[in-house]
Amino acid sequence: MSLNARTLPTEEPFFGHKACAGCGGSLVLRQALKVLGPHAIAALPAGCMSAVGFNFPQLCFANNAMITPFAATAAVLSGIDAGLRAQGCKPDDCTVVGFAGDGGTADIGIQALSGAIDRNEDILYICYDNEAYMNTGIQKSSLTPFGARTTTTPVGANLHGCTTDKKNMFEIVVAHGIPYAATASIGYAPDFLRKVAKARDMKGTRYLHVIAPCPTGWGCPDRDMVDIAREVVDAGLWYLAEYEGPQTSQTPAGRLKLNRRPAQFASGADEWGSVEHYLRRQARFAALDGEDIARIEAGRDEMWERLERLTTAFS
């Protein structure tokens, strides 16, 4: 049975939280935990979802859940899994899952994540990527895209926001030869739900990287959050892909698959959506000029050329 809004369980595993209206990260947790089921055990580092989900005396998780040190999400997941196995009390339908933001994943938590992948711990790690440290006041992370305004990458006469490009976290994880890694967007929920279910049913380390817009930090109406999460894919600035390592794909280098190419977009046209339209919908990109937008488009084209080469290399 395919997973969608009608077939997901009606029970709410993540409810009553204090997240901002239109929060993409809260939707990631809500949908993923519905797929993973009531026996999933969640760990979250310092970040938006721990800040809004653990408010004494109210706990917003129906599942077992705990807060981890900022840098230690994957290490804590490894310890939870080892403890369950040592006690002989890990049922088959128990997924040990971490939910961490972009800063807690690509910056502060990357060492622990890399080590867990190297040991092939039986854990699922989900990064909800809102492209900045939103919980502490919208500071730049290494997953903040070029041109975005944050409190540490301001805009003015001589500076148009972030001067660096978004770190390619998915390819870093793939380079480890991980059993399963995938990208997703909360704007394409069926694709995300399918990947969560696939990861749930696998063993070893699994990694999902999900674009989850933050209306507060991105400067867009909360009602537009899902549509913007869809448009970033259609404009080619984010891609939907999955990688299966040598352990699962039976090929020496693993297998990389792109789930969506331009010709498959809703318009039916073999072309990208408008990068400028996507950027202009968000106040964080208000200072960009034509040269900046052209740079972003060129970066998108280079990214897709690389992805096509990688798809061939991993086929």
Side-chain angles (χ1 to χ4, degrees):
M1 180 176 63
S2 62
L3 289 170
N4 54 50
R6 291 191 176 93
T7 59
L8 284 175
T10 57
E11 294 79 10
E12 292 296 340
F14 185 62
F15 57 91
H17 55 76
K18 305 301 189 295
C20 303
C23 172
S26 64
L27 194 55
V28 171
L29 266 68
R30 181 187 177 206
Q31 293 187 347
L33 288 172
K34 279 176 174 283
V35 176
L36 297 176
H39 291 158
I41 299 176
L44 300 88
C48 288
M49 291 302 99
S50 59
V52 305
F54 296 88
N55 290 282
F56 182 81
Q58 180 182 8
L59 176 67
C60 298
F61 293 86
N63 300 68
N64 285 322
M66 66 176 292
I67 299 178
T68 80
F70 211 161
T73 307
V76 171
L77 294 174
S78 301
I80 293 172
D81 182 68
L84 290 171
R85 287 187 286 105
Q87 296 179 71
C89 59
K90 184 181 181 184
D92 291 338
D93 61 349
C94 173
T95 302
V96 179
V97 57
F99 296 98
D102 46 288
T105 298
D107 298 340
I108 298 171
I110 193 170
Q111 182 272 346
L113 175 59
S114 178
I117 300 171
D118 182 62
R119 297 187 302 272
N120 197 25
E121 303 284 1
D122 188 21
I123 61 174
L124 170 59
Y125 190 109
I126 299 179
C127 172
Y128 60 93
D129 183 1
N130 51 35
E131 299 189 328
Y133 288 90
M134 301 302 183
N135 176 54
T136 51
I138 316 174
Q139 296 89 13
K140 176 194 180 303
S141 78
S142 62
L143 294 183
T144 300
F146 173 81
R149 181 188 66 198
T150 71
T151 55
T152 53
T153 57
V155 300
N158 299 311
L159 187 64
H160 291 182
C162 180
T163 60
T164 58
D165 293 311
K166 187 181 178 82
K167 181 187 288 185
N168 197 328
M169 193 63 198
F170 176 69
E171 289 184 28
I172 291 172
V173 169
V174 166
H176 287 69
I178 191 171
Y180 181 72
T183 60
S185 169
I186 208 65
Y188 284 99
D191 175 79
F192 171 53
L193 297 174
R194 179 185 64 80
K195 289 170 178 173
V196 174
K198 184 173 182 176
R200 175 197 62 197
D201 298 335
M202 299 177 71
K203 297 296 183 182
T205 311
R206 295 91 76 200
Y207 175 85
L208 299 180
H209 194 124
V210 192
I211 282 290
C214 168
T216 302
W218 290 23
C220 59
D222 55 76
R223 64 180 179 274
D224 292 347
M225 184 273 290
V226 172
D227 189 51
I228 286 175
R230 186 179 299 116
E231 189 171 7
V232 68
V233 176
D234 292 350
L237 297 176
W238 184 249
Y239 55 88
L240 307 181
E242 9 182 17
Y243 169 81
E244 295 184 19
Q247 310 96 317
T248 56
S249 67
Q250 306 304 312
T251 61
R255 179 174 179 268
L256 178 65
K257 177 184 178 182
L258 292 171
N259 303 117
R260 196 170 179 82
R261 285 182 167 88
Q264 299 170 309
F265 294 160
S267 66
D270 188 9
E271 60 184 17
W272 302 114
S274 170
V275 167
E276 182 170 9
H277 183 268
Y278 166 75
L279 298 172
R280 295 300 185 201
R281 297 179 71 180
Q282 305 165 60
R284 62 176 178 158
F285 293 118
L288 297 186
D289 58 24
E291 184 177 341
D292 295 325
I293 292 173
R295 182 193 187 281
I296 292 170
E297 290 175 338
R300 174 203 60 190
D301 295 342
E302 291 175 4
M303 178 185 74
W304 276 89
E305 289 174 3
R306 185 180 70 253
L307 284 170
E308 294 293 353
R309 291 196 300 270
L310 286 173
T311 303
T312 302
F314 283 105
S315 62

